[in-house]
Amino acid sequence: MKENDIRPEELLNVALDLHKQDIEDIMKKKHEFIEFCCPSCGKNKNNLVYKKEGFLFNKCTKCNTVYISPRPTAKLLEEFYDNSKSMVYWNQVLFPSSEVYRKENIFKNRALKVIEICQKYGNDFGTIVDVGAGYGTFCEVLKELNGFERVVAVESSIGLAETCKHKGIETINKQIEEVVLKDVSVVTNFEVLEHLFNPEEFVKACYRVLPKDGMFVLTTPNIDGFELSMLETFSPNIGGPEHLNYFNPSSITYLLEKSGFEVLEISTPGKLDAELVRKEIINGNIDVSEDRFLQMVLVDQWEKVGESFQNFLEINKLSSHMWVVAKK
Ligand SMILES: [Zn+2]
């Protein structure tokens, strides 16, 4: 998998320009932002690690979670997503233009992996609920694979919920906190946690809809992974107001355990860290000329060792893309 396959560059540049306008709009309401404690351990001792586009990124001194504070309130975030020009562009142009590729190469693998996880832990294949279903591609693939008796999309945005419905997916247009469902086997959420004003409330709401032994599967960035450690604010994954919370394997475990879950496994099956860092080196944004080792791996001997370096990151939980499997 190469980065350009999922984010064609020209279209991405248009989305980035629109995103700049969106940020300017929300920054006009900066005086309404509120202070927030660590979204994992709840402590408020932190160090400012970086600033980007007016947002302040703090690192918790206890658990190393990175988070934006002050942050837009839940209401401001809702307004942001309702009015975001870049979101419309993503939903109408970028996602559709790359959907065939994404479906086959991301969502199919994701769905097969969830099925594999349920088999591994002897879970049943009754109802699966995908929270923050977005464009609905994951639910669509799950239905095609026929792995579960019932597939439910929970999506709070009206526009995206409509997209899910048009795809023939059973869709609930609510926040998970308001959802009542019986006999749920699995709750999934992919790249949702980092977006939320209050991740703990969300995790607790997911816990509430599950019966005992129900599975909880999620993905979120790993801030201690190679890409995010190296690129910091040069990574498109680091930026407000979309991404407010950046966990690491131990801080996500703490958050889930505090909410009642038992964490079964954490993995980082990311494929793009090395390629993304290399790209920023070549673009001149990251300087590794003083670092003989990284210069060798990511530039001089890239063709020879690049792929196996990424494999090393993956198997040692050092990639920036994290999967978490837990049960109630
Ligand atoms: Zn913390």
Side-chain angles (χ1 to χ4, degrees):
M1 190 200 294
K2 294 281 179 256
E3 194 212 0
N4 215 36
D5 293 329
I6 46 171
R7 295 186 278 238
E9 202 144 352
E10 278 173 41
L11 301 180
L12 194 61
N13 286 336
V14 177
L16 289 174
D17 283 341
L18 291 170
H19 187 245
K20 271 187 195 150
Q21 296 172 29
D22 289 339
I23 300 222
E24 282 169 18
D25 289 343
I26 198 165
M27 276 303 166
K28 288 175 191 153
K29 295 180 178 167
K30 202 176 174 183
H31 58 281
E32 292 177 44
F33 289 13
I34 56 175
E35 296 282 341
F36 204 75
C37 293
C38 172
S40 170
C41 74
K43 298 280 183 294
N44 63 358
K45 283 198 172 169
N46 56 57
N47 295 315
L48 180 66
V49 278
Y50 24 81
K51 293 180 187 175
K52 186 176 180 179
E53 293 158 333
F55 290 100
L56 305 182
F57 293 76
N58 307 283
K59 187 181 222 172
C60 173
T61 53
K62 184 172 179 245
C63 73
N64 291 322
T65 297
V66 172
Y67 58 100
I68 289 181
S69 177
R71 63 177 58 190
T73 59
K75 186 172 162 281
L76 280 178
L77 286 171
E78 205 182 309
E79 280 171 25
F80 174 82
Y81 286 113
D82 284 347
N83 300 315
S84 161
K85 299 176 193 83
S86 59
M87 280 294 289
V88 171
Y89 188 77
W90 269 95
N91 293 329
Q92 292 182 352
V93 181
L94 258 172
F95 281 138
S97 76
S98 58
E99 198 188 6
V100 173
Y101 179 87
R102 294 169 73 91
K103 192 171 172 181
E104 194 55 34
N105 292 278
I106 297 177
F107 293 98
K108 194 170 172 191
N109 290 341
R110 190 178 274 181
L112 289 170
K113 189 164 172 159
V114 170
I115 292 171
E116 198 180 289
I117 287 167
C118 290
Q119 283 166 343
K120 180 176 171 185
Y121 292 102
N123 201 54
D124 69 70
F125 288 86
T127 300
I128 182 164
V129 180
D130 187 39
V131 189
Y135 204 63
T137 318
F138 172 70
C139 289
E140 195 181 16
V141 175
L142 265 185
K143 282 183 71 172
E144 285 167 12
L145 290 171
N146 242 335
F148 289 84
E149 283 167 29
R150 184 181 175 201
V151 177
V152 181
V154 173
E155 175 50 59
S156 59
S157 140
I158 298 171
L160 292 172
E162 282 303 315
T163 306
C164 292
K165 283 179 194 167
H166 281 138
K167 290 184 171 177
I169 301 160
E170 181 182 345
T171 306
I172 302 176
N173 181 208
K174 284 181 181 170
Q175 308 266 10
I176 186 66
E177 286 84 350
E178 307 159 292
V179 171
V180 181
L181 277 168
K182 274 196 168 173
D183 303 324
V184 175
S185 310
V186 192
V187 169
T188 55
N189 55 99
F190 299 97
E191 279 109 65
V192 172
L193 223 49
E194 60 273 24
H195 292 263
L196 303 171
F197 174 75
N198 190 330
E200 187 174 342
E201 278 180 7
F202 174 86
V203 170
K204 284 181 172 161
C206 292
Y207 183 85
R208 184 184 52 78
V209 300
L210 280 165
K212 184 164 174 3
D213 293 328
M215 303 280 289
F216 186 48
V217 179
L218 69 90
T219 65
T220 194
N222 168 18
I223 192 65
D224 288 347
F226 186 68
E227 180 210 339
L228 298 182
S229 299
M230 289 293 297
L231 298 188
E232 299 188 330
T233 53
F234 286 110
S235 168
N237 276 321
I238 293 192
E242 285 93 344
H243 291 181
L244 299 159
N245 316 295
Y246 305 82
F247 300 96
N248 55 55
S250 67
S251 75
I252 191 74
T253 301
Y254 185 83
L255 174 65
L256 264 60
E257 287 179 347
K258 161 166 103 161
S259 308
F261 284 109
E262 178 191 345
V263 175
L264 300 171
E265 63 179 65
I266 291 188
S267 57
T268 67
K271 304 285 179 210
L272 295 173
D273 299 68
E275 188 190 333
L276 292 169
V277 175
R278 172 183 154 82
K279 191 176 122 190
E280 294 305 331
I281 293 170
I282 290 165
N283 288 345
N285 289 325
I286 302 286
D287 181 13
V288 292
S289 57
E290 300 286 306
D291 192 324
R292 175 84 192 104
F293 181 79
L294 288 178
Q295 175 72 25
M296 206 162 63
V297 172
L298 297 173
V299 183
D300 303 343
Q301 297 191 30
W302 172 251
E303 296 301 329
K304 195 172 152 205
V305 304
E307 198 176 331
S308 54
F309 179 64
Q310 182 65 42
N311 291 340
F312 163 83
L313 297 176
E314 181 181 341
I315 59 177
N316 290 292
K317 297 188 174 62
L318 295 170
S319 157
S320 291
H321 171 62
M322 177 161 65
W323 274 70
V324 184
V325 180
K327 75 167 186 178
K328 180 163 173 177

